[in-house]
Amino acid sequence: MAGLVWSINRVLEFIRDEQEDMLGVGIGICVFFLLLILGFGTLIFVMIKGMGKSVDDWIRIVAKTGGLSEQEVRESARALQEELLSRCPGIDTAGGAVLAE
């Protein structure tokens, strides 16, 4: 955000000082910072939206996308968890306890 404000101030200085040859560069930098803000804003929005979903929501989404039933997804996740535990016995699977329901 600070970069966009800075670049707008530079463009205004170019206009005030009648430096038309630098005006294109200043506008280009403004557009760059604007696109950067929009990109990161979208990324943050998607991340926050995804954090609000429960395990059941994610299972429903994966089942729908993969063309499977929710039970098949749960069984696959449980099998994957068991495989992980057999290969890495000391691993912490506290988050996987939800799948054991």
Side-chain angles (χ1 to χ4, degrees):
M1 187 65 144
L4 182 62
V5 172
W6 172 80
S7 61
I8 290 172
N9 282 333
R10 292 295 295 170
V11 167
L12 293 174
E13 286 178 19
F14 293 151
I15 292 171
R16 186 189 67 218
D17 297 340
E18 298 177 3
Q19 296 179 2
E20 282 86 22
D21 56 332
M22 293 297 293
L23 197 56
V25 174
I27 291 173
I29 293 172
C30 286
V31 170
F32 169 76
F33 280 118
L34 183 63
L35 291 175
L36 204 62
I37 289 170
L38 289 175
F40 280 115
T42 303
L43 180 66
I44 290 170
F45 174 76
V46 169
M47 288 173 56
I48 290 173
K49 185 177 177 184
M51 287 174 30
K53 293 182 180 174
S54 68
V55 172
D56 290 331
D57 293 336
W58 284 111
I59 289 175
R60 210 171 296 114
I61 290 169
V62 169
K64 182 179 177 183
T65 303
L68 303 169
S69 70
E70 290 182 31
Q71 187 60 30
E72 288 174 316
V73 173
R74 287 183 192 278
E75 288 173 8
S76 297
R78 196 172 295 114
L80 181 61
Q81 183 180 9
E82 289 172 6
E83 178 72 19
L84 183 63
L85 283 173
S86 70
R87 290 180 185 232
C88 306
I91 196 165
D92 179 22
T93 58
V98 177
L99 297 174
E101 293 175 345

